[in-house]
Amino acid sequence: MMNKQFYLYLCATLILMSSCNEEAPLYPEPQSPEEALSTFVLDDNFEIQVFATEPFVQDPVEMIFDEKGNIFVVEMPDYPFQPEGTEGQGRIKVLLDTDGDGKIDDTKIFADKIKDATSLQPWKGGLLVTAAPYIYYMKDEDGDMVADTKEVLFEGFFNKNQEAQITNLRFNVDNWIYAANHGQAGEITYMDGEEKMQMQGADFRFRLDKEKYEKESAPAQFGQAFNDWGHRFFTQNTIHIQNMVVPYRYLHRHPYLPSAKGVVNVSDHDLRMYQLTEAPYWRRERSNRRQKKYDEQGLNRTEYIDNHFTGASGGTHYGGDLFPEEYRGNIFTGEVMGGLVHRDVVILPSDQSQYVAQRAKNEQEKEFLASKDPWFRPAHFTVGPDGALYVVDFYRQHIETPLSIPEDLKLDMDFMRGSDMGRIYRIVPKSSSVPVLPTTVTENSGDAASYVEWIAHPNQWFRLHGQRLLLEKQDLSVLPQVKELLMNHPEAAVRLHAIYVLEGLDALDESTIQVALKDENPRVREYGLILAETYPKLVNAVIALAQDSDNRVVMQTALSLGNYNSSKIYTPLAQILENNINSSWIRTAVLSSEAGSSMTLWNAVATKTNLLKEYSGDIGKFVHDFGYVQGGKNDKKEILSFVQKLTGLSDDYLEQGLMGLSKGLKRSKTELADDVKETILKAASKLDSKKEAIEKNLTPKKK
């Protein structure tokens, strides 16, 4: 008989030989939540905890806390395939911690069978839900945590690509709710109305309290954040942080600007990231194929396989009060392909209109959080009432859309692998013991006075919820308390919330806005300018900020002055240009209004400033763009006046002005009077190098 020791040896040998003959799997297997925790490399100041896992959460894409402490998560199990028909497998769950240990152990289905649900926003005791092509309002009417009503508020949004649909609802300090639309086309209607708004090239914002909705500067994809000052940041797959500098409403006051782009990539470190996972097989293979093709075509182009942003998602502002000071105001962005969380320190220099996003000093060659588990898909984040940062992990084997992967590589890929899984993690400072739900939430009385206290809270979560609830309640008895905050609270962010509570309660007047215009903090002054636009008598108070020490305040002054119908505004607009001619944003701000692009403004520049005395490149850019606007308008009287003024200046100005004018005329595609064309060409005769280009722009293309 074979002895036992030899038998065990033989079995082990056979198993080893068998395993050696099997091919290694192309893609790794999932890890348990406890195993996944061990794969995280996190900033030394913090610890990461499991908050919720499968089966309680599956395919989560966003989580929120409402004002009562209810925790909602929206799940997207259909991704990356869109189901046919009107229903899908999407769910909204209420997450429950029944034993109070800080971990989710039960759920209730608030709503299900939702197609492409991606985002939630509390509103009047219910939830606003983005689910392209709709924005719904759902509400539990009987207190059982199950939605009883489902109402379509808006419809018509683009719904052909799950990675570029309406999402990321955010209530902002200005009382508007914003949504990312990735600039996609659509015909939007409100509450079954007949009026349709075209959405091409824009994001979206709305106010249900005023029944207003409009376009916003784009394109946000999946990730939209507002800092303490209501300034907007958003994420695209390869551009992890952009800043909206000029809102859509200003850039489209007339259609003639050479560029109506109001956003900019503010990262000073661009695409580079530091992942701990290897690129998956399909990505290595696809990238190698693409690079081979580029090389064969002689293109100077690099196809990055890893360590560069391609799946940036969920940019979120940390406005909590739990993290150390140096982390407050930072933007946290997930990278679902690289399995990491990137942190940006964002600053607004006083001499600039746009922010700068920088790596932290201790993260120059590493990330705030990175995982060695290739299934880790940090799609979104939430800052809770506790001040913790919650990481929403979609947790799938594959996250890339099949549309961008070659057919032969897809044969070995199961895009639904992991659709029964999902995790949410909680990041807190080391040794922190704060509960998930503070007593300020669980024991809140629900009366308006308590929400006034919330808008003075150091955690942005409380301030925004408190402001929204005061807007919903419309309880005017709190006005004295709110005005006291505006007049005397030491924190500028609280004063800003206070003035917009007054705005939401229709309790603003000229004297109150003047308080904001004279605030010591430039961000409050900035919003004072916006609010002053509908008060004609405040024009002098607005003009007084034309020489403010803060660049963004000056830019907003230029934007706001353009909304006034007053002869007083031309000289200050010209002086703003003279003092800030090197700022492309301020040049655009001036030109964006009818007044700022008129010959009256030109005359103020010529007579009230020294701008046209000596040529510089920045002044030349303004002259070019001013001419472009004149060409777009194609007003004969204005054009003739402009050309006459140009001929009295140096050839450099003449060249810039006529080139801009001719380009604007070409774009306008409207008929040009013969005598106007003759006048332009006569003026261009002095410009040997540019005459031909100008004449070409003025010559209609043959049909």
Side-chain angles (χ1 to χ4, degrees):
M1 179 181 290
M2 185 184 301
N3 67 49
K4 183 176 181 182
Q5 186 176 3
F6 179 75
Y7 175 78
L8 292 174
Y9 172 78
L10 179 62
C11 288
T13 302
L14 291 172
I15 292 171
L16 180 62
M17 291 174 63
S18 174
S19 64
C20 288
N21 289 330
E22 293 181 4
E23 291 186 11
L26 286 178
Y27 303 104
E29 293 298 301
Q31 301 193 34
S32 70
E34 291 72 26
E35 291 171 333
L37 270 183
S38 68
T39 71
F40 291 135
V41 178
L42 175 63
D43 184 307
D44 290 338
N45 292 312
F46 299 89
E47 61 183 53
I48 185 167
Q49 307 163 349
V50 174
F51 180 66
T53 69
E54 64 274 357
F56 305 114
V57 291
Q58 298 169 308
D59 309 297
V61 291
E62 186 171 284
M63 183 186 90
I64 65 165
F65 292 81
D66 75 3
E67 67 274 10
K68 297 178 181 178
N70 297 313
I71 307 169
F72 295 91
V73 64
V74 59
E75 300 178 339
M76 199 176 183
D78 292 319
Y79 180 87
F81 303 107
Q82 287 186 314
E84 295 182 2
T86 59
E87 292 186 349
Q89 298 302 310
R91 299 174 292 264
I92 301 171
K93 289 179 179 175
V94 185
L95 304 185
L96 304 171
D97 173 13
T98 61
D99 58 10
D101 68 348
K103 293 182 180 180
I104 299 304
D105 53 34
D106 199 2
T107 63
K108 293 205 72 170
I109 303 296
F110 180 80
D112 62 0
K113 297 183 180 181
I114 313 170
K115 188 175 180 178
D116 288 350
T118 60
S119 179
L120 309 172
Q121 167 63 46
W123 180 257
K124 288 192 173 181
L127 292 176
L128 303 176
V129 182
T130 56
Y134 308 109
I135 297 179
Y136 296 111
Y137 175 58
M138 301 182 186
K139 190 174 183 180
D140 163 28
E141 301 285 1
D142 56 12
D144 63 354
M145 301 306 293
V146 177
D148 301 298
T149 59
K150 177 181 173 184
E151 181 181 13
V152 173
L153 297 182
F154 298 96
E155 65 178 297
F157 294 102
F158 172 81
N159 65 337
K160 304 301 181 185
N161 182 346
Q162 291 166 312
E163 293 187 1
Q165 297 182 174
I166 192 75
T167 188
N168 291 151
L169 293 168
R170 299 289 180 269
F171 179 82
N172 193 21
V173 69
D174 61 3
N175 291 326
W176 288 79
I177 297 171
Y178 290 73
N181 182 59
H182 204 226
Q184 298 293 338
E187 291 187 339
I188 311 307
T189 58
Y190 172 61
M191 296 288 286
D192 296 324
E194 295 182 0
E195 184 178 348
K196 294 184 177 182
M197 184 177 76
Q198 300 297 322
M199 279 299 297
Q200 180 71 41
D203 287 336
F204 188 61
R205 72 173 193 161
F206 58 95
R207 284 189 66 164
L208 296 178
D209 63 318
K210 303 290 186 184
E211 295 194 326
K212 294 180 179 180
Y213 58 97
E214 63 188 34
K215 302 173 190 178
E216 188 52 280
S217 293
Q221 191 170 8
F222 194 76
Q224 180 175 220
F226 293 87
N227 67 5
D228 287 343
W229 312 116
H231 292 158
R232 181 170 173 247
F233 301 86
F234 54 83
T235 310
Q236 285 181 277
N237 280 347
T238 58
I239 307 176
H240 70 276
I241 183 167
Q242 295 187 73
N243 174 213
M244 185 185 79
V245 184
V246 181
Y248 190 98
R249 63 187 183 275
Y250 296 117
L251 293 170
H252 293 81
R253 289 186 285 198
H254 65 71
Y256 309 117
L257 286 173
S259 173
K261 184 177 181 180
V263 304
V264 63
N265 177 2
V266 293
S267 171
D268 69 354
H269 47 284
D270 208 28
L271 295 177
R272 187 75 170 93
M273 67 184 192
Y274 299 92
Q275 67 189 82
L276 299 180
T277 57
E278 291 186 4
Y281 169 76
W282 70 261
R283 187 176 184 85
R284 295 196 305 271
E285 182 64 24
R286 187 188 70 177
S287 296
N288 288 332
R289 293 178 188 181
R290 288 179 175 178
Q291 191 63 56
K292 184 174 182 291
K293 185 180 294 186
Y294 299 153
D295 295 343
E296 290 173 348
Q297 295 173 347
L299 299 175
N300 183 22
R301 185 172 175 180
T302 301
E303 175 73 14
Y304 295 107
I305 295 177
D306 52 16
N307 285 315
H308 286 74
F309 285 102
T310 61
S313 301
T316 298
H317 169 254
Y318 183 78
D321 57 341
L322 181 62
F323 283 17
E325 184 65 33
E326 62 266 31
Y327 296 86
R328 300 182 188 183
N330 292 181
I331 302 289
F332 291 85
T333 305
E335 222 301 336
V336 295
M337 283 301 303
L340 57 87
V341 177
H342 178 77
R343 176 167 72 108
D344 281 296
V345 179
V346 290
I347 58 172
L348 179 59
S350 63
D351 61 347
Q352 293 186 27
S353 297
Q354 69 185 54
Y355 281 79
V356 177
Q358 305 172 333
R359 280 188 173 275
K361 291 181 180 179
N362 65 332
E363 294 170 12
Q364 292 299 303
E365 294 185 355
K366 64 177 183 178
E367 303 297 342
F368 175 77
L369 169 66
S371 174
K372 299 174 184 177
D373 179 3
W375 284 52
F376 178 52
R377 310 295 185 186
H380 220 290
F381 307 87
T382 296
V383 180
D386 55 349
L389 180 68
Y390 292 81
V391 183
V392 178
D393 179 7
F394 196 62
Y395 208 74
R396 285 280 187 95
Q397 187 175 59
H398 302 291
I399 194 71
E400 187 85 0
T401 172
L403 297 173
S404 61
I405 299 176
E407 291 298 323
D408 64 308
L409 297 180
K410 287 192 284 190
L411 295 176
D412 296 312
M413 301 173 68
D414 180 357
F415 289 94
M416 301 307 294
R417 186 78 193 282
S419 60
D420 58 346
M421 307 177 81
R423 287 90 190 264
I424 297 172
Y425 298 98
R426 182 178 186 245
I427 296 178
V428 296
K430 284 184 175 177
S431 302
S432 174
S433 59
V434 296
V436 171
L437 294 176
T439 56
T440 44
V441 174
T442 57
E443 298 179 5
N444 183 266
S445 63
D447 66 328
S450 68
Y451 294 130
V452 176
E453 295 177 4
W454 278 23
I455 67 171
H457 199 283
N459 185 344
Q460 185 189 34
W461 184 91
F462 284 94
R463 297 198 303 274
L464 287 173
H465 278 285
Q467 179 176 326
R468 173 182 59 83
L469 291 160
L470 289 169
L471 183 71
E472 294 174 5
K473 287 179 175 295
Q474 290 292 307
D475 185 342
L476 301 185
S477 68
V478 301
L479 288 178
Q481 292 174 264
V482 178
K483 290 180 179 179
E484 174 66 20
L485 291 177
L486 172 62
M487 299 300 295
N488 296 314
H489 200 280
E491 294 295 329
V494 175
R495 299 197 297 274
L496 180 57
H497 281 279
I499 196 166
Y500 270 98
V501 170
L502 297 177
E503 189 272 349
L505 297 179
D506 294 322
L508 283 183
D509 54 31
E510 292 173 359
S511 61
T512 306
I513 295 173
Q514 283 184 319
V515 170
L517 290 171
K518 295 178 180 179
D519 195 278
E520 64 181 13
N521 188 283
R523 305 287 67 84
V524 181
R525 298 199 296 274
E526 180 184 341
Y527 280 93
L529 287 163
I530 295 170
L531 293 170
E533 291 173 1
T534 56
Y535 292 82
K537 292 181 180 180
L538 290 179
V539 63
N540 289 333
V542 173
I543 289 172
L545 294 178
Q547 299 186 49
D548 196 272
S549 59
D550 183 88
N551 187 275
R552 190 152 176 148
V553 169
V554 174
M555 182 192 73
Q556 185 59 55
T557 303
L559 292 169
S560 295
L561 283 175
N563 279 347
Y564 282 91
N565 181 20
S566 171
S567 60
K568 296 179 178 181
I569 68 174
Y570 295 99
T571 296
L573 282 175
Q575 291 171 343
I576 286 174
L577 276 173
E578 182 175 33
N579 295 333
N580 303 275
I581 194 62
N582 63 336
S583 169
S584 62
W585 291 115
I586 288 182
R587 296 196 302 267
T588 296
V590 172
L591 288 170
S592 68
S593 67
E594 291 286 349
S597 57
S598 68
M599 285 306 297
T600 306
L601 185 279
W602 179 272
N603 292 333
V605 169
T607 60
K608 302 296 184 180
T609 76
N610 293 313
L611 280 175
L612 302 178
K613 300 292 173 57
E614 185 175 348
Y615 183 81
S616 75
D618 289 325
I619 304 172
K621 290 175 184 176
F622 167 74
V623 173
H624 175 280
D625 292 349
F626 185 91
Y628 189 98
V629 175
Q630 300 309 309
K633 293 178 179 179
N634 198 4
D635 181 284
K636 179 177 179 178
K637 182 179 178 181
E638 293 267 292
I639 290 176
L640 290 176
S641 175
F642 179 56
V643 174
Q644 179 191 6
K645 301 291 185 181
L646 285 175
T647 55
L649 301 174
S650 69
D651 287 356
D652 289 326
Y653 285 123
L654 181 64
E655 176 183 316
Q656 291 296 328
L658 293 182
M659 282 299 297
L661 177 63
S662 65
K663 291 176 185 176
L665 286 164
K666 181 179 181 180
R667 179 184 169 186
S668 73
K669 298 180 181 179
T670 54
E671 188 174 348
L672 180 63
D674 290 339
D675 57 338
V676 174
K677 181 177 180 180
E678 181 180 347
T679 300
I680 294 172
L681 293 177
K682 181 179 179 181
S685 63
K686 297 173 60 179
L687 308 172
D688 294 335
S689 62
K690 296 294 182 181
K691 180 182 178 182
E692 184 177 342
I694 292 170
E695 185 172 8
K696 184 178 180 180
N697 286 335
L698 299 181
T699 304
K701 291 184 178 180
K702 294 182 180 180
K703 296 182 180 179

